[in-house]
Amino acid sequence: MPRKSASPPPPSETAASSGATTSGKRQSEQPPPDLTPAQKAARSKASRASDDSDKKTRRLKDVEISFPIVHGTMAFSLGKKATEYNSHKWTVYVRGATNEDLSVILKRVVFQLHPSFNNPTRVVESPPFELSESGWGEFEIAISLFFHSDVCDKRLDLYHQLKLYPEDDSGSTQSTKKPVVIETYDEIVFLEPTEAFFLRVQNHPAAIVPRLPASLNLPPPGPLEHQSERRRGDTKDNPLSQWYMNFSEADELLKLAAARQQVQAHIVKLRRQLSMLEGAPSKAASGQ
C-alpha cells in the first residue's frame, strides 16, 4: 500500500499540479483571475457551509450545559360525575423548572401509558409536552425524551408514578377543585456540547451555561430568533401552572432563610426557659 509523505514533492511535480504555488513571490506576480459575481457567491456559500459543518461537529472540551426540568402528574377528582372505571381526570407532563420552553432541546416526548388504554404509546411533538387522560387506577408512566440532532443522539428515559389520591386521605370526599400534584425535579446535563448547540442556547433562559475558559474563542451569539414561538412554547400561562410546584433557586433560598429564622427563634425560646429554670431557687436551697 502506497504511503503518503508529508514532505513537499519535487519542483517539477509542484509546477505541474493544479492550483499549486511554489513561493509567495510567484503567487503575487500571478494574481488569480477575476471571478464573476455568481462564482463569488458560490464561493461564499461554500465557505459558510464549511463553517457551519465545523460548528455542528466540533465539541467543547470540559464544558457542560444543563437544563433543569420537572416531570409530574396532576389529577383532579370527577366528584359526582365519577364512575367505577372513570374517577379522575389527569395530566402527565414535562416542563422547564422555571416554566421556560424546552423545545429548544426537545424534539418530541413519548408517554407510555398502562396497556389497558387505547393506543398506550402517545407521542407529543410540540410544546407543551403534556398528555391528558382519565381513568380510575394508579400506575407508572414511562417518559422518553428525544432531542434535536445537534443536542444528543440518544434518548433519555424517565419514570413517573401517577397518583390519584392524596397521601393524607382520611376517607373524606376528595375535592374536585384541588388536584393531587406529584412532581420530580431533575437536571439534564449535556457533556462536551457541540459549538453549534452551545451558541444556540447560551442565552436561552432555560439553560444553565458556564463561563467558557479564556482559551475558547467563540463568535458572539446572534439575535434570539422565533421569540414568539418561544413564548408559545413555555408553560407560564398554562391553565395548570397555578398548581405547579416552585423549584427555582431563589425560592429554595427563601425557604432555607425562613427555616433558619424559625430555628433561631426556637433556640432563643429554649435559652430563655433554661435561664428561668437556672435562676429559680431549688426546694433544697429554700429549706422546703
Side-chain angles (χ1 to χ4, degrees), residues 38-269:
Q39 289 173 324
K40 291 180 180 179
R43 171 180 284 186
S44 177
K45 290 180 180 178
S47 176
R48 285 197 297 270
S50 177
D51 292 342
D52 292 343
S53 177
D54 290 343
K55 290 179 182 179
K56 290 180 180 179
T57 58
R58 186 164 53 240
R59 295 193 171 274
L60 303 177
K61 300 296 183 182
D62 302 322
V63 174
E64 64 180 42
I65 300 175
S66 61
F67 278 78
I69 68 164
V70 173
H71 53 92
T73 54
M74 191 175 298
F76 287 87
S77 171
L78 294 178
K80 296 181 179 180
K81 298 180 180 180
T83 64
E84 182 179 2
Y85 297 107
N86 193 33
S87 61
H88 291 75
K89 182 178 180 181
W90 51 264
T91 301
V92 57
Y93 51 86
V94 177
R95 64 178 179 87
T98 54
N99 297 313
E100 299 294 347
D101 182 13
L102 291 179
S103 64
V104 68
I105 58 171
L106 292 180
K107 185 177 182 180
R108 66 180 181 275
V109 176
V110 178
F111 298 97
Q112 187 66 44
L113 307 183
H114 192 274
S116 60
F117 283 86
N118 292 328
N119 184 25
T121 302
R122 309 290 179 87
V123 181
V124 180
E125 296 185 330
S126 61
F129 297 102
E130 63 183 31
L131 171 70
S132 296
E133 260 292 356
S134 61
W136 59 273
E138 300 179 343
F139 59 93
E140 186 178 66
I141 302 174
I143 307 173
S144 297
L145 309 183
F146 292 83
F147 304 97
H148 294 296
S149 59
D150 68 333
V151 178
C152 182
D153 57 1
K154 296 180 180 179
R155 77 183 191 190
L156 177 63
D157 293 326
L158 307 172
Y159 299 91
H160 192 89
Q161 182 68 32
L162 169 64
K163 291 288 187 180
L164 303 181
Y165 301 93
E167 295 292 339
D168 58 348
D169 187 10
S170 58
S172 59
T173 303
Q174 186 177 352
S175 171
T176 59
K177 295 182 179 180
K178 184 178 180 181
V180 175
V181 182
I182 304 295
E183 292 192 327
T184 301
Y185 173 93
D186 208 341
E187 289 187 8
I188 307 177
V189 180
F190 301 99
L191 302 176
E192 297 187 352
T194 62
E195 183 178 320
F197 175 40
F198 182 92
L199 292 173
R200 189 164 63 84
V201 304
Q202 64 175 320
N203 286 333
H204 196 280
I208 299 178
V209 181
R211 179 173 295 180
L212 291 179
S215 57
L216 290 177
N217 295 319
L218 297 181
L224 290 176
E225 299 177 354
H226 310 299
Q227 287 289 342
S228 59
E229 293 182 9
R230 282 201 176 92
R231 283 194 291 269
R232 287 198 299 269
D234 65 35
T235 52
K236 295 178 181 178
D237 297 326
N238 192 297
L240 303 179
S241 62
Q242 61 177 315
W243 304 109
Y244 288 158
M245 299 174 66
N246 195 335
F247 292 96
S248 71
E249 201 169 294
D251 184 67
E252 292 300 315
L253 291 174
L254 289 175
K255 288 180 179 179
L256 289 173
R260 183 178 181 182
Q261 289 180 351
Q262 290 179 354
V263 171
Q264 289 176 340
H266 190 59
I267 290 174
V268 170
K269 182 179 179 181

